[in-house]
Amino acid sequence: MRLNLREIIEVPGGSVPFECELDTEGLDFPSVLAYRGKPHAEGRVYNEAGVLHLEGTLRAEMTCVCDRCGDAFDSVKETALSAVIVEEENEEYPEYFALDGNDLDLDEVLSTSFILDMETKFLCREDCKGLCPGCGKNLNLGPCGCRKQIDPRFAVLEQLLDKE
């Protein structure tokens, strides 16, 4: 989506609201199985003392797979949007977004902000216990029947206990 900012570029205090849906085509993450609808964004671009700022929120509902136990779970990701808009690209400030004439490529700002804010680890819950390294049982469902693994540094001491 392109957002025309012609009316506020030269008007300090001016603002342009936006509300749109983001296409999920380029938003591929290994732990995201599916999006339960297109991510929804809303906010505004405003001129503060001659500098254009974008602020708002982006909300995405997803079905993810837990990185510890492998179970699928539903998740809602809310990303706070905050960006500075400049007239021309500046290699000194790569985090700024450039206008194309009077237009802002809103999809680029939204997708970049969403990708940079995405978690590196997806967990079904914060205290997920994961899988047993021996038998592969999901430890969230209860303990497994495996014998507790001994630290290999203490294996020699265990041999002493076995002799008695």
Side-chain angles (χ1 to χ4, degrees):
M1 177 180 160
R2 300 189 68 73
L3 186 63
N4 189 317
L5 301 176
R6 181 175 32 93
E7 358 177 302
I8 67 164
I9 289 176
E10 301 293 329
V11 182
S15 73
V16 173
F18 66 86
E19 185 171 350
C20 65
E21 290 183 338
L22 181 61
D23 188 21
T24 60
E25 187 175 310
L27 303 178
D28 297 328
F29 299 94
S31 295
V32 176
L33 297 175
Y35 290 91
R36 296 187 333 252
K38 290 187 175 187
H40 180 79
E42 59 183 42
R44 68 185 181 120
V45 177
Y46 63 95
N47 184 331
E48 181 177 50
V51 178
L52 297 177
H53 296 274
L54 179 140
E55 68 178 16
T57 58
L58 176 65
R59 178 183 168 92
E61 296 181 6
M62 309 171 289
T63 299
C64 305
V65 62
C66 181
D67 287 333
R68 284 191 190 153
C69 69
D71 281 349
F73 67 98
D74 291 335
S75 175
V76 176
K77 172 75 176 156
E78 295 225 11
T79 299
L81 302 171
S82 178
V84 175
I85 315 299
V86 294
E87 289 187 34
E88 296 177 0
E89 282 190 45
N90 187 336
E91 290 184 19
E92 216 174 298
Y93 300 103
E95 68 274 9
Y96 293 172
F97 293 92
L99 290 173
D100 182 15
N102 292 327
D103 295 339
L104 174 65
D105 183 359
L106 200 53
D107 290 339
E108 177 189 358
V109 177
L110 297 177
S111 61
T112 300
S113 298
F114 184 71
I115 290 168
L116 291 175
D117 192 47
M118 187 56 74
E119 288 86 2
T120 56
K121 187 182 286 189
F122 290 81
L123 299 177
C124 58
R125 58 184 199 223
E126 228 173 278
D127 64 339
C128 178
K129 296 175 182 171
L131 302 174
C132 171
C135 67
K137 180 179 179 186
N138 185 341
L139 297 175
N140 294 317
L141 303 176
C144 66
C146 293
R147 185 172 173 212
K148 186 174 179 179
Q149 296 292 322
I150 303 281
D151 187 329
R153 296 172 290 183
F154 297 119
V156 173
L157 295 175
E158 183 183 33
Q159 290 174 358
L160 290 174
L161 292 173
D162 287 341
K163 289 181 181 178
E164 293 177 5

